[in-house]
Amino acid sequence: VPAAPPAPLGCDDPESEAAAEAAVNYINGHSHHGYKFTTNRIAAIRVVPQGPNNDIIFLELDLLETKCPILSPTPLANCTVRSFAEHAVEGECDVKLQKVDGTFSVLASKCHSHADSSEDILKVCPECSLLASLNNTEVLETVSAALNDYNSKTTDSYLRLLEIGRAKIQYHPGHIVVAEFAVGATNCSAKEAKANVGACQLLPKDQSNFGFCTAVMVKRPSQDLQVDCQLYGHQVPAPDTPLLSRPGVTYMHPGQDIS
Amino acid sequence: SVTKSAVAEAPQHDKVPRPVGFVPPPPPCPGKIRHFDI
């Protein structure tokens, strides 16, 4: 009597968890924007045997954004998940993997991320501040003022803006803009930049030094600007395939799609 | 004339009695939520 087919994998089985971990590491390792994502739930898994010790695995993952910028060297396990009240960003990914002799490799992935709805947040937390659009004028002013302030005081290299990661504006009780943005060190010192900022270029990849800044601009009851930047030091650049990065944007692994 | 013969009720072999406290296994998917459900 032919052996009964193996029971379908459960989403919480150790093998499913291992596949999800390989998929999330791939997604974070191939993204250049935003923040790292972590698994919130394995929504579905389907295994298509190809032969002995050779399976194609289709995974549906529900992810949540963490507070670690994508360029941060912090291990994902140490990255705090952004809470619901902090205006969480969730991602959904369909990933196709192959498992040969116990080793996973990602063949294709398609991801989409979006911030949670403002209505849902305000329902649970009426006084929470919400995510602002990244091209909001106040956000842009805050980032520009904060970076200028930092560069005017630093004795290290002049920093250039890479991207704004996220921003929130509170209007009550005070008027406060909080912005997080990624920066890159340039080939100028801050002093040289004062003379000729146009000559200051981001360091080449083999010397790149990225960092991350948080700026808090208080407009009311009184004006105040705080900015804190941390540089990571030189990191080995990740391969170039942007994936899960901006809320609301879907990326496909070039050339392949989940069939 | 046709008479209906009384046939004894078939013993309920097809319904295996479940042991007391039987808990069906959780559905295989979707999996558990690790942080919070949005």
Side-chain angles (χ1 to χ4, degrees), chain A residues 5 72 75 78 82 104 140-141 212 218 220:
Chain A
S72 160
N78 300 352
R82 213 176 289 284
F104 293 103
L140 297 175
E141 282 168 0
F212 202 71
V218 179
R220 207 180 51 248

Side-chain angles (χ1 to χ4, degrees), chain A residues 5 16 22 34 53 65 89 101 111 119 183 239:
Chain A
S16 308
N53 295 318
E65 183 183 83
V89 173
D101 298 333
C111 296
E119 296 74 24
V183 292

Side-chain angles (χ1 to χ4, degrees), chain A residues 1-160:
Chain A
V1 174
L9 263 187
C11 280
D12 291 330
D13 288 357
E15 182 172 347
S16 308
E17 306 247 3
E21 184 180 353
V24 169
N25 286 340
Y26 177 90
I27 289 162
N28 286 326
H30 287 74
S31 175
H32 275 311
H33 298 288
Y35 298 82
K36 294 181 182 185
F37 278 78
T38 190
T39 304
N40 188 35
R41 176 171 72 172
I42 300 172
I45 183 166
R46 183 162 64 91
V47 180
V48 180
Q50 304 294 302
N53 295 318
N54 181 353
D55 293 325
I56 294 291
I57 298 171
F58 293 93
L59 264 182
E60 287 179 31
L61 298 175
D62 293 341
L63 307 179
L64 284 175
E65 183 183 83
T66 69
K67 296 183 181 178
C68 288
I70 200 72
L71 295 174
S72 160
T74 308
L76 183 60
N78 300 352
C79 293
T80 309
V81 171
R82 213 176 289 284
S83 72
F84 182 78
E86 291 170 301
H87 210 152
V89 173
E90 62 178 311
E92 284 116 25
C93 281
D94 293 336
V95 186
K96 179 179 178 182
L97 305 98
Q98 184 162 26
K99 183 182 179 186
V100 177
D101 298 333
T103 304
F104 293 103
S105 55
V106 174
L107 302 180
S109 53
K110 184 164 74 171
C111 296
H112 177 85
S113 67
H114 54 92
D116 194 31
S117 81
S118 304
E119 296 74 24
D120 288 352
I121 306 282
L122 293 176
K123 236 183 270 172
V124 173
C125 173
E127 68 281 353
C128 284
S129 54
L130 299 174
L131 277 180
S133 160
L134 296 185
N135 52 17
N136 173 291
T137 311
E138 287 190 276
V139 170
L140 297 175
E141 282 168 0
T142 299
V143 169
S144 174
L147 195 49
N148 288 337
D149 181 68
Y150 182 87
N151 278 323
S152 68
K153 294 171 180 167
T154 184
T155 54
D156 294 334
S157 70
Y158 178 79
L159 300 182
R160 273 202 183 281

Side-chain angles (χ1 to χ4, degrees), chain A residues 170-177 217-224:
Chain A
Q170 173 186 306
Y171 295 99
H172 181 76
H175 185 176
I176 302 171
V177 183
M217 164 88 82
V218 179
K219 295 194 164 185
R220 207 180 51 248
S222 59
Q223 288 270 349
D224 182 38

Side-chain angles (χ1 to χ4, degrees), chain A residues 180-253:
Chain A
E180 298 178 3
F181 51 97
V183 292
T186 65
N187 56 354
C188 295
S189 68
K191 195 173 175 189
E192 289 162 344
K194 285 195 175 82
N196 177 12
V197 72
C200 302
Q201 300 305 318
L202 286 176
L203 294 173
K205 267 196 179 178
D206 58 341
Q207 306 159 38
S208 60
N209 185 0
F210 299 124
F212 202 71
C213 302
T214 302
V216 179
M217 164 88 82
V218 179
K219 295 194 164 185
R220 207 180 51 248
S222 59
Q223 288 270 349
D224 182 38
L225 173 61
Q226 301 288 331
V227 57
D228 172 48
C229 293
Q230 285 182 355
L231 287 177
Y232 303 133
H234 178 54
Q235 308 288 320
V236 175
D240 289 332
T241 322
L243 279 167
L244 196 70
S245 63
R246 319 296 300 145
V249 180
T250 298
Y251 287 85
M252 313 259 246
H253 188 297

